[in-house]
Amino acid sequence: MIGDDKVLIWTAAEVENGAVPAEHRPYTREILAWAGRYLVSPHPELGRNGPVCPYTQPSLHKGLFHLAALTATDGGTDVRDAIESLRSWYERLSARISPADRELLTILLVLPQLDYHDSTGLDALQREAKDKFVNDGLMIGQFHPVCDQPGLWNEKFKALRAPVPLLAIRKLVVFDLPFLMDDEVHAESYLRRFAPDIPPRIRDQLVKRLVATRKSLQTA
């Protein structure tokens, strides 16, 4: 276990072996079981071949899958502070592993303190944090029992539904462009990172075209 006065972080093996304190054990175990059952498997409504999340099984296999919880279980820890602390811990963990494996490093921040029947609060936290995360080369996504975020390949499939509210953090990868095309700032951050040789003026035009195309497809 690692952590500070905001968050505690465990490997999947520590969760399985019962090393998590009793107050956090039920939720971390529930989410680890869900990840090992749902994220690693294909789904008939997903709209493409392969598992729901192609990174989860390799992350579990290499011991790079982590679960985290707020230090305080009574709501005393501000979730925003915990997210910022977790971002710092992610960078520290990333520095300890080989560059080739960094895209498999994953941390799920389990948030049973949040409302299970309304995802508005979790969605707002994710949107608020996403600008900084993407700018730093990271992705942050929200999962929730009633998350209505449509799937990329099948809008009727609610891929981001989980039994407990949580935020997932991982490295930004080249395949993430579809998740960033709704926002010019995010698309620009992506292109600046993965296409640095494109002149800024052309890059700006490309960003505007990508975002406009995505929005037109959504309203068609």
Side-chain angles (χ1 to χ4, degrees):
M1 181 191 76
I2 58 175
D4 52 30
D5 62 340
K6 301 292 190 304
V7 291
L8 299 173
I9 306 169
W10 303 273
T11 64
E14 288 174 325
V15 174
E16 288 179 339
N17 295 335
V20 178
E23 64 266 32
H24 300 296
R25 194 175 302 152
Y27 305 108
T28 53
R29 281 186 168 177
E30 183 177 12
I31 288 301
L32 182 60
W34 164 80
R37 180 181 67 251
Y38 170 71
L39 293 180
V40 304
S41 303
H43 194 286
E45 298 178 17
L46 182 59
R48 61 160 172 79
N49 295 325
V52 172
C53 176
Y55 297 97
T56 299
Q57 188 60 62
S59 178
L60 287 165
H61 178 72
K62 293 210 168 189
L64 298 174
F65 196 88
H66 298 71
L67 292 104
L70 303 190
T71 304
T73 58
D74 59 359
T77 300
D78 184 83
V79 179
R80 290 176 179 82
D81 290 343
I83 293 170
E84 185 60 26
S85 179
L86 197 62
R87 191 175 68 87
S88 297
W89 277 109
Y90 187 97
E91 292 171 349
R92 284 182 242 182
L93 287 170
S94 182
R96 300 177 188 175
I97 62 179
S98 69
D101 287 338
R102 284 174 185 166
E103 67 179 33
L104 298 178
L105 178 61
T106 303
I107 304 178
L108 304 188
L109 176 61
V110 185
L111 296 166
Q113 302 89 344
L114 299 185
D115 191 331
Y116 279 54
H117 305 288
D118 184 354
S119 66
T120 304
L122 183 65
D123 293 340
L125 288 167
Q126 188 263 351
R127 284 194 302 270
E128 183 180 313
K130 191 172 181 179
D131 285 353
K132 188 171 185 179
F133 271 72
V134 171
N135 186 65
D136 290 344
L138 300 175
M139 282 289 286
I140 180 168
Q142 80 280 28
F143 289 79
H144 191 279
V146 296
C147 184
D148 279 332
Q149 185 76 23
L152 285 177
W153 300 273
N154 178 7
E155 291 190 355
K156 295 181 179 179
F157 179 53
K158 310 303 182 183
L160 302 185
R161 289 191 173 174
V164 180
L166 65 90
L167 290 166
I169 298 172
R170 62 170 174 79
K171 188 177 185 292
L172 185 71
V173 297
V174 70
F175 303 108
D176 282 329
L177 181 58
F179 298 106
L180 307 172
M181 286 171 53
D182 289 337
D183 186 285
E184 290 186 14
V185 173
H186 299 159
E188 166 62 21
S189 294
Y190 173 93
L191 290 175
R192 190 169 60 248
R193 183 169 298 274
F194 292 108
D197 296 330
I198 297 176
R201 181 175 61 83
I202 302 300
R203 194 167 61 212
D204 290 345
Q205 293 175 355
L206 182 58
V207 166
K208 288 181 172 59
R209 186 175 300 176
L210 286 171
V211 173
T213 300
R214 177 62 179 270
K215 290 179 177 178
S216 66
L217 290 172
Q218 290 175 332
T219 57

